[in-house]
Amino acid sequence: MRLLVLGTAGYHPNQRRDTSCFLLPEPGWILDAGTGMHRVRRWLNTRSLDIFLSHAHLDHIVGLTFLPDVVWNKNVTRVTVHAEPAKLAAIERHLYAPDLFPLRPDFQQHPLDGAPFVIEDCRISTFPLRHPGGSLGFRFDWPDRSLAYVTDTTAAADSEYLRAIRGVDLLIHECNFRDGDRDWAEKTGHSHTSAVAELAAAAGVGRLLMTHFNPLDDDPDPVGLEAARRIFPRTLLAEEGMELDF
């Protein structure tokens, strides 16, 4: 299974990064619809598109307004947006308010109620995350591989969601701040480097892919990769255009 990295910044894009968006091109699945969503069109070769939203903050949903261009002449017959009911309602009420964006793309809604569900041969489960306004993590289990997507939360080695991500082959986890800014991480509902690495080690995951970086930190290494690797050696930093097999 391939993972394409399309957006890795938090809050707003910068010269190096768009905001959160990942694509699994084989099934046509998108993890969050940030500004990186504009890159999906290049890779889209499926008749269906499933978009899994962690929450409804603008840096994770604004790409839904790009859908008309993303699917233009692509023979896509179904688009489904999977999110909590309150987040879907907020998107309908605000993102597609007539004065903001009068052309609502044609997509189905799948309200998530906490129960696992299955698409094709993949079991998908969700779990709550601590973040202002609320956020969801996702776990995807195929017969031969697994993936967890966790963004916009404050990580710790004893996080409540540790059990939900235990043993996954690949953990995609936000890391908005360096260790020196851990106080800001706590205040804003985000994570810092060592805490994410400690969580990955405690959960026994195969690999850790850090993302959702502070857009004010335009360094190629915005979180201090070596500090993470001292705790969890199999740590990678997400970059736009990166492709991973898992």
Side-chain angles (χ1 to χ4, degrees):
M1 183 75 68
R2 277 193 307 158
L3 173 76
L4 304 181
V5 179
L6 307 181
T8 62
Y11 189 20
H12 61 79
N14 60 23
Q15 293 299 317
R16 186 183 188 89
R17 305 178 187 276
D18 273 298
T19 64
S20 296
C21 191
F22 294 82
L23 173 66
L24 302 173
E26 282 84 1
W29 295 359
I30 295 171
L31 310 179
D32 273 338
T35 59
M37 184 82 168
H38 73 89
R39 296 191 171 98
V40 169
R41 177 177 172 78
R42 175 185 174 189
W43 303 100
L44 182 56
N45 291 302
T46 52
R47 299 294 301 277
S48 62
L49 193 61
D50 288 273
I51 304 170
F52 302 90
L53 299 180
S54 60
H55 62 308
H57 288 169
L58 285 173
D59 55 323
H60 294 258
I61 65 167
V62 69
L64 292 176
T65 64
F66 306 164
L67 269 173
D69 276 1
V70 168
V71 302
W72 178 259
N73 286 339
K74 283 290 187 176
N75 296 317
V76 174
T77 59
R78 177 187 60 79
V79 178
T80 303
V81 177
H82 308 262
E84 291 182 292
K87 307 305 191 268
L88 291 170
I91 289 167
E92 289 291 341
R93 185 181 313 115
H94 301 296
L95 191 65
Y96 295 125
D99 287 336
L100 291 182
F101 197 82
L103 179 63
R104 183 200 183 280
D106 184 18
F107 60 81
Q108 304 173 17
Q109 298 184 1
H110 176 207
L112 301 176
D113 59 6
F117 57 103
V118 175
I119 302 178
E120 298 175 352
D121 63 343
C122 183
R123 182 181 187 271
I124 303 166
S125 53
T126 64
F127 43 94
L129 300 172
R130 184 165 61 92
H131 185 67
S135 186
L136 277 185
F138 289 87
R139 177 170 178 147
F140 303 86
D141 284 287
W142 293 268
D144 59 348
R145 68 199 72 199
S146 54
L147 165 72
Y149 179 63
V150 180
T151 188
D152 286 52
T153 194
T154 304
D158 60 351
S159 291
E160 292 182 4
Y161 59 91
L162 184 148
R163 182 177 298 180
I165 65 173
R166 190 179 297 281
V168 294
D169 295 308
L170 178 63
L171 169 62
I172 305 171
H173 199 293
E174 80 128 88
C175 190
N176 202 82
F177 292 105
R178 297 173 183 266
D179 282 342
D181 293 318
R182 66 185 64 199
D183 289 345
W184 274 107
E186 183 67 32
K187 288 177 183 177
T188 60
H190 289 291
S191 298
H192 65 89
T193 308
S194 294
V196 178
E198 289 166 359
L199 173 69
V205 306
R207 285 184 292 173
L208 167 64
L209 181 65
M210 289 181 165
T211 187
H212 199 284
F213 304 121
N214 182 355
L216 296 180
D217 194 333
D218 206 20
D219 192 292
D221 178 6
V223 296
L225 179 58
E226 287 309 309
R229 285 182 169 171
R230 283 194 292 271
I231 300 167
F232 189 77
R234 298 183 300 281
T235 302
L236 302 170
L237 297 183
E239 285 285 350
E240 271 72 350
M242 177 186 286
E243 297 187 31
L244 285 179
D245 291 313
F246 68 95

